[in-house]
Amino acid sequence: MSTRISIDGELFEPDRARIPVFDRGFLYGDSVYEVIRTYQGKPFALDRHLERLERSASKLQIELPERAWLVREIERTMAAAGNAESYIRLIVTRGSGPISLDPTLAVGPLSVILVKQYEPFPRRMYEQGIRVSIPQVRRMPRSADDPAAKTGNYLNSVLALGEARGAGFDDALLLDVHGRVAEASSANVFVVRGGELHTPTLETGLLEGITRGFILQIARDHDIPCSECEILPEDLKTADEVLLTSTLREVMPVVGIDKHTIGSGRPGPMARRLLDLFRKRVLQLVGRR
Ligand code: PMP
């Protein structure tokens, strides 16, 4: 059980890892990142994560190191950490520069790869489901700080989660500025109604989750009707099931939203089915490499 951090290709133990205070990731959240996990010791869907990192970086015009170098460095850091299953956080900042917002003054990029032991979420969250709240804080519109880019600026989610946790909930489900459901603080959301699966459209303003993509594909492959559509808070409260998806959570059932109980108040059959199908798909893909 250990943690190792690569900073621009140099490996550190956690208490030795340092980045400059002039780094723009620290100063402004001027960075992009990915969170990847391993199954059977192999980073899952690494290509998809690196493609999303590239899309995020190109939105911010942050220059990334070569993909092959990043892959090698992830492998080297994992080997140094030596865990059976790893949590991998890959961060690329625009680098350091004088104190100025002007991005052209940066000398960078700076790459950080943090590898630690993968810790699953508590079983009770899957067995009993979680309770979420809809905070006052709204998801940033696409025309401002586009949630489609996975940047180091997570203040929007931090505030939302802080509000939800402060009120005793497990997570926050953010609405966009028009009042439509967007996503959770660090997960996508799906609604189940009459055996059909619905998830907010990308136009709402949300991160295009890798797990979301797998779930949509699995639904198509198994003839589960699914659509990307507009979802309102009322739709959630009257749904049969609500689910969150993310790399770390996989598929997690939501059994309550604010004062409302979802369905029977217990995780429903679709949550279980999709979690099983997702895990099967993961093992097929990991085994194929
Ligand atoms: N939305 C947000 C805001 C997130 O931070 C995450 C976690 N990366 C997700 C959705 C889920 O994405 P993924 O399935 O790729 O982990």
Side-chain angles (χ1 to χ4, degrees), residues 52 139 150 154 183 185-188 207 209-211 246-247:
R52 188 169 65 188
R139 184 47 101 214
K150 195 163 172 64
Y154 253 56
E183 59 180 340
S185 62
S186 61
N188 292 114
L207 185 72
I210 311 274
T211 322
S246 77
T247 297

Side-chain angles (χ1 to χ4, degrees), residues 89-106:
R89 193 179 186 92
L90 165 59
I91 307 160
V92 180
T93 82
R94 200 185 299 277
S96 294
I99 298 223
S100 160
L101 292 178
D102 183 350
T104 64
L105 299 176

Side-chain angles (χ1 to χ4, degrees), residues 256-276:
I257 299 180
D258 291 322
K259 297 188 301 292
H260 305 268
T261 300
I262 308 300
S264 62
R266 304 276 309 155
M270 186 70 93
R272 188 69 245 171
R273 182 166 179 219
L274 288 175
L275 180 59
D276 289 346

Side-chain angles (χ1 to χ4, degrees), residues 6-241:
S6 151
I7 303 179
D8 274 346
E10 206 180 326
L11 287 174
F12 296 92
E13 307 239 346
D15 56 350
R16 299 260 162 212
R18 300 273 184 277
I19 60 150
V21 289
F22 287 96
D23 186 273
R24 298 174 62 97
F26 167 67
L27 288 174
Y28 312 123
D30 192 2
S31 62
V32 291
Y33 83 102
E34 283 295 319
V35 171
I36 305 147
R37 63 167 286 192
T38 62
Y39 289 88
Q40 298 183 352
K42 296 169 197 156
F44 177 63
L46 184 56
D47 285 355
R48 294 187 190 211
H49 283 282
L50 291 171
E51 278 155 22
R52 188 169 65 188
L53 187 77
E54 284 162 9
R55 288 198 299 277
S56 301
S58 99
K59 280 206 169 85
L60 271 64
Q61 294 182 296
I62 287 181
E63 190 194 322
L64 291 181
E66 292 277 315
R67 197 195 263 222
W69 183 86
L70 286 173
V71 171
R72 274 200 311 279
E73 205 49 31
I74 288 172
E75 281 165 3
R76 206 167 73 93
T77 314
M78 278 173 54
N83 300 305
E85 295 294 4
S86 306
Y87 163 108
I88 304 157
R89 193 179 186 92
L90 165 59
I91 307 160
V92 180
T93 82
R94 200 185 299 277
S96 294
I99 298 223
S100 160
L101 292 178
D102 183 350
T104 64
L105 299 176
V107 180
L110 177 91
S111 305
V112 177
I113 297 163
L114 185 157
V115 174
K116 63 184 183 99
Q117 160 135 318
Y118 167 70
E119 309 272 3
F121 279 85
R123 282 172 66 118
R124 69 158 180 88
M125 292 187 142
Y126 297 90
E127 287 166 359
Q128 296 165 24
I130 60 164
R131 293 172 59 246
V132 305
S133 94
I134 297 179
Q136 295 293 315
V137 174
R138 297 294 175 98
R139 184 47 101 214
M140 199 69 88
R142 296 196 82 176
S143 55
D145 190 351
D146 188 354
K150 195 163 172 64
T151 78
N153 189 335
Y154 253 56
L155 204 47
N156 192 201
S157 286
V158 169
L159 295 176
L161 187 62
E163 218 183 299
R165 286 277 165 87
F169 292 89
D170 295 300
D171 208 332
L173 211 46
L174 288 94
L175 307 182
D176 73 357
V177 289
H178 306 293
R180 301 174 298 189
V181 175
E183 59 180 340
S185 62
S186 61
N188 292 114
V189 60
F190 284 81
V191 171
V192 182
R193 185 189 300 278
E196 296 188 6
L197 206 51
H198 306 286
T199 195
T201 57
L202 300 177
E203 288 72 51
T204 315
L206 49 93
L207 185 72
E208 186 173 2
I210 311 274
T211 322
R212 175 186 184 276
F214 276 110
I215 294 299
L216 287 171
Q217 188 59 51
I218 286 168
R220 279 184 225 114
D221 294 347
H222 291 268
D223 295 326
I224 300 168
C226 64
S227 71
E228 294 171 70
C229 56
E230 181 178 282
I231 297 177
L232 298 172
E234 302 84 85
D235 302 325
L236 291 177
K237 290 166 190 164
T238 57
D240 299 330
E241 294 180 48

